[in-house]
Amino acid sequence: METNQKGLNTICTHVGELEDKQHKGAISPLYMSTSYAYEDVDVKRYPRYFNTPNQEGLCKKIAALEHAEAALIFGSGMAAVSTALMAFLRAGDHVVLQQALYGGTYNLVNEEFSKYGIEYSFTNGWDTAAFEAEIKENTKVIYIETPSNPLLTITDLEAVASIAKKQGLITMIDNTFASPVNQNPIDFGIDIVIHSATKYMGGHSDICAGAVASTSENMNRIFQLAKNFGGSLSDYTVWLLERSIKTMGIRVKAQNENALAMALFLDGLEDIASVYYPGLPTHRDHAIAKKQMKGFGGMLSFELQPHLDTSKFQKSLKLIKSSMSLAGVESTLLSPTKTSHALMSAEVRAEQGIADGLIRFSVGIEEIEDLKEDIVQALKSVKREMRVSINN
Ligand SMILES: *Cc1c(COP(=O)(O)O)cnc(C)c1O
C-alpha cells in the first residue's frame, strides 16, 4: 500500500509494509543485512545510506503520516534535529529559534553553533511579532516547537509559515509533543517536520529514534548531509518502530482523552495552583490550538499550591512514576527544573515562566479513574505528613 489517501489508522497499520514473498507472513520481514549486492541492482543499499528495505518501508509510513513527499529516520531525535538544521545553515547564516525549546535543541544551538560560525537568535515570546523582530538580512531558517515543553504554549503555524514565505525562509518544526496524530504542520505551510520518535511514535519507552519529513527536494538535501554525519538507525530498531507505529493512532487518541480529563480534574482541585493544557478553554493559546490541532495531546503541566511540597507529592504517587522522558503508554511525571531544563540557567527558566515547582505530566493509557485516585491519595499523604511535622 503506497497511497497516503487512506485514513490515519490504515496508514499506521499498512503503509510501507514489506511483503514476505517467501513465506507469506502477515508482517514485514526484518532484513538485518549490512551488505547487499552491487551488480545488477537498481539501488546500492547500505544502512548509512538510509536505504535498507526496512528503512525505506518505515520512511514511506512516516512521510504518509506527515502528508510529506519523503522522510528519513535517524538514530535519535537529536540526530534528526541537528542534521535538519545543519543541512540548511552554513557559516555566516542566521537562524531564528522559538524561545521555548526542547532542552537538547537549546544546548545544540548554544554549545555548538558558534563553532561553525552560525548566528542565532531566540524569540522573546511566541506571537508573530516576536518572530518578525528577530529576522535579519542573513536569516535562512525559522525553527519552532508547538506545543512547547514544558508549558504547552502554542505557536501559530500558519502565521509563522506566512512570515517565512514572504522572506523566502525555510521553516522547521519539532512536532514531537503533538505527534502526527494530532498535528500535521505541512498542511499549514511549514516546510520541514521533525520528530523524536523516542516519544509518541515509539510509545513504549523502549526505542530511541528520530525522523524528518518534507518535500523530496528538501529531503534530498538533508540526506546528502545525513550520510556524511552517519546518524542512521539500526534495522532491528527500524522494524520495532514500524511495529509500534501500527498502534500510534489508537494510543495517542487514548492519551488525548485521558490528558483532557486529567487537566479538567486537576483544574478543579483546590490543592492545584495552575494547570497548563492547550485543550482547556482557559489556556492562553486555546483558540490557536483548536485551529491547528486534531487533538490536544497527552502532555500537560501543573503546579501545586505553594505550601505543598512538590517532591513529597511525587514520591507519594503509587501508580504514576517519576521518570525521565515522556509519551509512553504508562503515565510519568518529572520536574523540568531537576531534569529536562536543569542545564538552563535559573534566570532563563524564570524568564520563560518555568517555576521550580512545575510538574510535567505525560499522561498514559491507564484507566482515568485509577490515575485520579493516585493523585488524590498522594495529595492526602503530603498534607498528612505536613500536619505531622508541624505538630512535632
Ligand atoms: C526527546 C525530544 C527530543 C530529542 O529526542 P531524542 O530521541 O532524545 O534525541 C527533541 N525534541 C523533543 C520535543 C523531545 O521531547
Side-chain angles (χ1 to χ4, degrees):
M1 227 191 83
E2 305 300 344
T3 164
N4 58 11
Q5 305 301 311
K6 297 283 190 286
L8 171 73
N9 285 317
T10 313
I11 295 173
C12 285
T13 314
H14 291 298
V15 171
E17 64 193 351
L18 305 178
E19 195 185 336
D20 176 0
K21 293 199 180 97
Q22 203 173 359
H23 303 293
K24 313 270 182 229
I27 63 153
S28 297
L30 165 56
Y31 297 101
M32 285 297 285
S33 191
T34 57
S35 173
Y36 290 86
Y38 61 89
E39 273 181 318
D40 309 319
V41 294
D42 306 333
V43 190
K44 296 206 172 21
R45 295 185 194 276
Y46 186 62
R48 193 173 37 74
Y49 298 163
F50 293 76
N51 65 359
T52 59
N54 289 92
Q55 287 185 79
E56 283 187 348
L58 177 55
C59 288
K60 279 183 193 153
K61 196 193 288 291
I62 292 174
L65 282 167
E66 279 297 6
H67 307 171
E69 288 171 7
L72 282 176
I73 35 170
F74 293 83
S76 72
M78 283 314 300
V81 169
S82 56
T83 309
L85 276 167
M86 298 304 260
F88 286 87
L89 294 168
R90 58 175 66 204
D93 288 346
H94 174 258
V95 51
V96 176
L97 302 117
Q98 178 179 312
Q99 177 194 57
L101 280 187
Y102 175 71
T105 307
Y106 179 82
N107 296 340
L108 166 76
V109 171
N110 255 341
E111 293 172 12
E112 310 299 336
F113 274 22
S114 57
K115 293 181 197 166
Y116 301 97
I118 298 167
E119 298 169 25
Y120 56 91
S121 320
F122 294 101
T123 61
N124 181 21
W126 298 267
D127 58 356
T128 320
F131 285 92
E132 263 174 332
E134 302 302 332
I135 295 173
K136 298 186 190 177
E137 195 99 302
N138 56 341
T139 303
K140 293 285 155 54
V141 172
I142 299 183
Y143 186 98
I144 62 172
E145 193 175 315
T146 178
S148 75
N149 178 23
L151 289 171
L152 292 310
T153 60
I154 306 293
T155 306
D156 190 326
L157 298 175
E158 252 174 347
V160 169
S162 95
I163 299 170
K165 288 220 160 75
K166 260 188 259 156
Q167 318 228 17
L169 311 179
I170 289 276
T171 42
M172 297 185 189
I173 182 174
D174 183 333
N175 202 32
T176 301
F177 267 39
S179 92
V181 178
N182 289 326
Q183 183 168 273
N184 296 123
I186 286 172
D187 295 347
F188 295 89
I190 300 292
D191 297 308
I192 295 171
V193 181
I194 303 169
H195 283 279
S196 168
T198 312
K199 314 297 165 51
Y200 287 104
M201 285 189 182
H204 296 73
S205 308
D206 55 7
I207 284 172
C208 181
V212 182
S214 186
T215 59
S216 302
E217 191 186 342
N218 286 339
M219 290 317 300
N220 188 47
R221 182 155 167 180
I222 293 168
F223 164 72
Q224 296 304 330
L225 184 65
K227 71 180 193 323
N228 292 336
F229 273 6
S232 56
L233 186 63
S234 97
D235 277 304
Y236 181 64
T237 314
V238 168
W239 181 82
L240 274 180
L241 183 55
E242 199 256 325
R243 199 265 305 257
S244 297
I245 293 177
K246 286 177 196 275
T247 57
M248 180 174 64
I250 54 176
R251 276 190 278 111
V252 171
K253 278 178 192 160
Q255 285 169 302
N256 288 345
E257 271 174 37
N258 270 359
L260 180 58
M262 181 53 73
L264 288 165
F265 172 71
L266 291 171
D267 207 31
L269 295 180
E270 58 181 33
D271 294 331
I272 306 295
S274 49
V275 181
Y276 304 91
Y277 184 66
L280 288 181
T282 49
H283 186 280
R284 190 192 67 195
D285 303 327
H286 180 63
I288 310 171
K290 247 169 86 173
K291 183 178 76 166
Q292 63 195 30
M293 299 183 80
K294 294 173 233 183
F296 299 110
M299 299 299 299
L300 60 92
S301 54
F302 63 99
E303 286 164 55
L304 302 185
Q305 294 293 0
H307 65 282
L308 298 173
D309 185 324
T310 302
S311 93
K312 278 195 183 126
F313 166 74
Q314 285 184 245
K315 286 187 185 125
S316 306
L317 289 162
K318 291 176 179 158
L319 186 61
I320 306 164
K321 292 194 190 74
S322 281
S323 148
M324 297 282 279
S325 201
L326 60 113
V329 288
E330 70 287 353
S331 290
T332 58
L333 295 181
L334 65 70
S335 151
T337 302
K338 289 187 189 160
T339 57
S340 57
H341 292 65
L343 291 179
M344 199 175 258
S345 71
E347 294 84 69
V348 177
R349 276 200 305 267
E351 226 175 78
Q352 298 193 8
I354 304 168
D356 281 347
L358 187 76
I359 298 173
R360 193 187 74 188
F361 193 167
S362 170
V363 183
I365 64 166
E366 300 94 338
E367 297 302 327
I368 188 68
E369 291 310 320
D370 294 332
L371 295 175
K372 287 181 188 172
E373 198 180 299
D374 199 24
I375 299 278
V376 169
Q377 71 76 25
L379 286 169
K380 273 191 193 147
S381 152
V382 171
K383 288 192 276 188
R384 203 181 313 121
E385 250 186 77
M386 287 177 64
R387 269 197 302 275
V388 172
S389 60
I390 289 166
N391 293 341
N392 287 344

